[in-house]
Amino acid sequence: MSSVRPATLEQWLAHIEQQHPQAIAMGLERVREVAERMQLGRPAEHCIVVGGTNGKGSTVAFIESIARAAEWKVGAYTSPHLLRYNERVRIDGKDVDDASLVAGFNAVEDARGDTALTYFEYGTLCALWLFQQAGLDLAVLEVGLGGRLDAVNIIDADVAVITTVDIDHADWLGADREAIGQEKAGIIRGWKPVILGEIDPPSSVLRRAYVLGANAIRFGSDFFAEDIDGELWRWRDVAFRLELPQPALWAPIQRNNAATAVAALRALDRPVPRTAWAQGIAEARITGRLQRFQRGGVDVLLDVGHNPQAAAALATALKGEPAQGRTLAVYAALADKDAAGVVEALQPQVDGWFLAGLEGARGQTAAHLRERLAQTHAAEANLSANVSGALDAALAQARPGDRVLVFGSFHTVAEALPVLRSAD
């Protein structure tokens, strides 16, 4: 590196993108070595690590919101971001400012020496350093990719959460749920609780918990979420019951995420006032999860869902709240995703498809995406070069009472958000 370091956050982000020959390089040796040089200990008095295929960001948001309602000082680390890198690191519910991130990146650089770090590893070490300075009661850390070899896994958490396990990032994690579960289970620690957010987790996850003596606490077996009516639902386990408001985050799957978050905080064995559970569930927000906008009588929904499991959850949500008219889907996906599986899962709820291209190393044109969907209902889709063009095309065809779903990746939502917000 030259003797002149980056000065601004924008310069730092451009710099750290270039510091490792691979965008993804799995393994903990390098990041652990730099963490030791930085003298990074525990990032907070208590720590929860959240892994899984889908639902991680929402589960982090619920944990963070409940803990803040309990008047704890909370830090949350998530990825990827939508519009600004600052979204990845929150302290007391606020994105950290540029100056704090620059200070964190300087601290990493001071300790790095000749060790090459990926973009995510830089960001993880920066976040842990900022959390250590902040005197937190709780740090909630979202795993970036997998678990066993993810940079977040240098932290020994008090509670591990594995939300769901499904096929995604198969090139890195394996081609079936058992192999992927084995990678996700790498965040489990001996004799510490692990919360499993689905009723049928892979046996590889359960086996790892058993080998380590970790207490596996399973949704649908050890804790339950039950509807009371349209306004309330019940969380319960063998010793505790809560009546809670339905989450403001719209979609049936969000109640499961909220229930998983409650179980994670219960497993910390730190008292939470009863009022904080309800307040936290009601106040939790996260961008790009069936986020709703209105355009001339047309509902526009944004969602970052990008694999068949997420698409199936989207389909359930759409079926549960039918549109008065048609549902039109604007879909843009990265080239390494199971696009046909996504379209198949959503097809019963979609009346028309609009495909968009995405730029970048993992992007693809709308024409290439349509080629991959030749055997699906999206084979005759309208094509646009970018997401904003596809959104315009869908809205031009939509009539009052119709709805437009814009989904397929964080990149898709990131392109649509400014367009929709600027029209508000």
Side-chain angles (χ1 to χ4, degrees), residues 101-180:
L101 289 166
V102 167
F105 286 133
N106 270 302
V108 176
E109 197 66 25
D110 288 341
R112 181 175 70 85
D114 295 328
T115 304
L117 297 172
T118 66
Y119 183 91
F120 183 76
E121 289 167 345
Y122 258 102
T124 301
L125 290 167
C126 173
L128 294 174
W129 184 83
L130 289 169
F131 289 167
Q132 186 170 276
Q133 315 299 309
L136 301 176
D137 297 306
L138 174 67
V140 193
L141 310 175
E142 180 185 344
V143 170
L145 175 62
R148 182 175 64 93
L149 299 176
D150 184 86
V152 165
N153 201 34
I154 64 171
I155 297 300
D156 292 325
D158 300 293
V159 177
V161 177
I162 300 174
T163 54
T164 62
V165 178
D166 205 60
I167 310 299
D168 202 7
H169 301 292
D171 289 348
W172 292 100
L173 303 180
D176 57 57
R177 287 184 79 231
E178 289 299 322
I180 293 171

Side-chain angles (χ1 to χ4, degrees), residues 350-396:
V350 174
D351 301 297
W353 291 89
F354 297 76
L355 303 180
L358 289 176
E359 295 184 354
R362 296 163 62 206
Q364 61 185 331
T365 65
H368 184 255
L369 177 58
R370 188 166 66 178
E371 285 176 19
R372 296 176 59 206
L373 298 173
Q375 305 304 313
T376 73
H377 287 82
E380 303 301 322
N382 178 297
L383 302 185
S384 297
N386 52 44
V387 173
S388 61
L391 176 56
D392 286 343
L395 287 172

Side-chain angles (χ1 to χ4, degrees), residues 26-206:
M26 306 296 276
L28 300 181
E29 296 83 3
R30 290 168 293 105
V31 70
R32 184 173 279 136
E33 181 182 340
V34 178
E36 288 174 358
R37 291 185 207 147
M38 294 174 70
Q39 298 184 312
L40 292 180
R42 289 179 62 78
E45 182 181 354
H46 300 283
C47 185
I48 298 174
V49 168
V50 180
T53 302
N54 293 307
K56 297 190 297 291
S58 297
T59 302
V60 169
F62 283 118
I63 293 171
E64 179 188 17
S65 185
I66 294 165
R68 293 194 65 237
E71 299 185 345
W72 301 1
K73 188 170 187 180
V74 184
Y77 175 54
T78 60
S79 64
H81 61 277
L82 283 167
L83 302 180
R84 299 172 67 238
Y85 185 90
N86 311 60
E87 298 165 24
R88 295 183 180 223
V89 188
R90 292 190 301 277
I91 295 175
D92 272 342
K94 297 183 177 64
D95 298 345
V96 299
D97 58 28
D98 288 11
S100 297
L101 289 166
V102 167
F105 286 133
N106 270 302
V108 176
E109 197 66 25
D110 288 341
R112 181 175 70 85
D114 295 328
T115 304
L117 297 172
T118 66
Y119 183 91
F120 183 76
E121 289 167 345
Y122 258 102
T124 301
L125 290 167
C126 173
L128 294 174
W129 184 83
L130 289 169
F131 289 167
Q132 186 170 276
Q133 315 299 309
L136 301 176
D137 297 306
L138 174 67
V140 193
L141 310 175
E142 180 185 344
V143 170
L145 175 62
R148 182 175 64 93
L149 299 176
D150 184 86
V152 165
N153 201 34
I154 64 171
I155 297 300
D156 292 325
D158 300 293
V159 177
V161 177
I162 300 174
T163 54
T164 62
V165 178
D166 205 60
I167 310 299
D168 202 7
H169 301 292
D171 289 348
W172 292 100
L173 303 180
D176 57 57
R177 287 184 79 231
E178 289 299 322
I180 293 171
Q182 189 168 333
E183 292 300 316
K184 304 287 187 190
I187 65 174
I188 300 172
R189 293 297 188 267
W191 310 109
K192 298 288 179 67
V194 54
I195 311 302
L196 304 176
E198 58 188 339
I199 196 164
D200 186 26
S203 59
S204 56
V205 174
L206 297 172

